[in-house]
Amino acid sequence: MENKELQFKTNINCGGCVSRVKPGLDSAEGIREWNVDIDNQDKILTVQSEGITADKVIAIVQSKGFKAEALV
């Protein structure tokens, strides 16, 4: 599987929000590392992928009650 960086525009806008998505992203197979820039206007989620697809990351974020849109 290809290792790459995926980025998403989200509505994860505070530390409490980050803590809600943390268990899902931490336990997801294929994610090496992730980070949400809550200071960025677009609340950018950056994922260091080890094979996970953008669609799977979006599904994880949505399952926690947030929106995510892949950036090209």
Side-chain angles (χ1 to χ4, degrees):
M1 287 280 176
E2 179 183 356
N3 293 349
K4 58 185 173 183
E5 182 176 279
L6 305 172
Q7 290 194 314
F8 306 86
K9 178 179 177 179
T10 74
N11 63 342
I12 300 169
N13 59 14
C14 68
C17 299
V18 171
S19 69
R20 283 179 43 201
V21 298
K22 182 175 175 43
L25 292 172
D26 282 352
S27 65
E29 191 172 318
I31 294 179
R32 185 174 72 238
E33 181 181 321
W34 64 273
N35 175 24
V36 180
D37 183 356
I38 58 175
D39 294 326
N40 183 299
Q41 176 181 334
D42 291 331
K43 312 302 180 203
I44 302 298
L45 165 62
T46 302
V47 174
Q48 301 299 326
S49 166
E50 288 185 334
I52 197 166
T53 65
D55 289 340
K56 286 185 182 176
V57 174
I58 290 169
I60 292 167
V61 173
Q62 289 177 338
S63 75
K64 302 300 180 185
F66 297 96
K67 296 177 185 173
E69 176 186 330
L71 298 176
V72 180

